[in-house]
Amino acid sequence: MSHEKLVLLETHSGVATITLNRPERLNSLTVPMHEALRDALDRVAADPELRCVLLTGAGRGFCAGQDLSDPATMGNGEAPDLGHTLETYYNPLVRRLRSLEKPVVCAVNGVAAGAGANLALACDLVLAARSASFIQAFCKIGLAPDCGGSYFLPRLVGSARAMGLAMLGEKLSAEQAADWGLIWRCIDDEQLLPEAKALAANLASGPTRGLALIKQEIHASIDNDLETQLNLERDLQRQAGQTEDHREGVNAFLEKRKPCYRGR
Ligand code: LHQ
């Protein structure tokens, strides 16, 4: 199978929809899938016309994490160097999503397990279908959370819940995930994609540089003290104030019309 088929990239009205596409294995990740995903994100990053990413999965699952039958990663009988796999594939993926200067919406259409759950949490706004679930499956196979999970989980839901999720590997429903603040919203199954697309289209027509600064500011605040964050706000607002879209937003307000943002 060619790389492109393992990950679909469709573009429409400024939204790049990236679909993990190995439904028969619940979109679990192999080396070629990582490569295809990296290529798709490279294309989105390089194209200023693409102003929002929508990440989802084909079929009944979102992503079941690492493909445990992939000999290239799982050692083919030998003890595998999983650190190498993280360094080469998963860690760059998380860094890429977090540093992309465009909003990334994730539509979790079904089960998200192991690194698949944490891939979703690395996105900026996570919507999940009511029938979807999140499983920190690592403990079931003698591993610890990766793909950023040990960073995201305690920050999103607190240490007690993070520890329970990671040590027990129980299935967390989308509804519970939304109640706990792990994700933005839980949506009825049939409405998930329409709502995620509408949200992504809305973001894609927004002030892209301002949205990228919001992303940077909110992600940075988790680790900063107030003094550092106030200084960051000063620096980023200085940048925001110099964008065309800021001027357009203010002009539109004063002229009592809808703003037309161009992402500049
Ligand atoms: C799969 C997988 C899968 C292969 C379903 N692999 N085939 C990072 C770096 C390096 C290495 C190690 O790990 C990591 C991070 C990780 O992600 S570790 C965690 C890896 N993921 C898991 O342990 C989850 C394994 N999957 C499951 O527990 C279940 O499949 C879940 C709970 C996700 C879904 O259960 P069901 O809805 O009952 O579906 P199923 O189990 O019947 O799966 C459907 C098919 O997909 C099945 O194949 P088959 O030929 O029997 O139809 C599964 O074998 C296959 N599949 N996950 N990760």
Side-chain angles (χ1 to χ4, degrees), residues 22 24-26 28 60 64-69 73-74 82 85-86 90 111 113-116 135 137-138 141 143 146 171:
R22 222 163 59 98
E24 70 287 357
R25 285 279 171 276
L26 301 182
S28 54
R60 72 177 178 89
Q66 169 64 39
D67 183 324
L68 298 175
S69 65
T73 306
M74 300 310 296
L82 301 184
T85 302
L86 294 183
Y90 288 87
V111 66
I135 311 174
F138 309 90
I141 54 170
L143 297 181
D146 59 26
K171 186 183 278 196

Side-chain angles (χ1 to χ4, degrees), residues 6 9 37 44 76 105 118 128 137 143 152 207 219 248 264:
L6 294 170
L9 173 62
L37 190 50
V44 175
N76 213 2
V105 175
N118 298 336
L143 297 181
F152 302 131
H219 287 327
E248 165 62 7
R264 295 201 286 259

Side-chain angles (χ1 to χ4, degrees), residues 67-166:
D67 183 324
L68 298 175
S69 65
D70 182 18
T73 306
M74 300 310 296
N76 213 2
E78 310 276 306
D81 181 356
L82 301 184
H84 171 78
T85 302
L86 294 183
E87 192 55 39
T88 312
Y89 300 108
Y90 288 87
N91 292 355
L93 173 59
V94 173
R95 292 187 188 111
R96 195 68 208 256
L97 290 167
R98 297 286 276 203
S99 63
L100 192 68
E101 292 178 336
K102 310 177 185 203
V104 181
V105 175
C106 185
V108 180
N109 52 298
V111 66
N118 298 336
L119 171 62
L121 301 184
C123 299
D124 301 317
L125 282 172
V126 186
L127 308 179
R130 201 164 295 282
S131 67
S133 55
F134 296 81
I135 311 174
Q136 294 294 320
F138 309 90
C139 60
K140 304 280 187 191
I141 54 170
L143 297 181
D146 59 26
C147 203
S150 63
Y151 178 92
F152 302 131
L153 285 170
R155 286 169 170 79
L156 289 166
V157 300
S159 292
R161 284 170 170 167
M163 195 67 89
L165 290 170

Side-chain angles (χ1 to χ4, degrees), residues 30-43:
T30 56
V31 166
M33 276 187 85
H34 273 287
E35 289 170 349
L37 190 50
R38 186 193 56 206
D39 291 350
L41 288 169
D42 281 350
R43 276 184 57 191

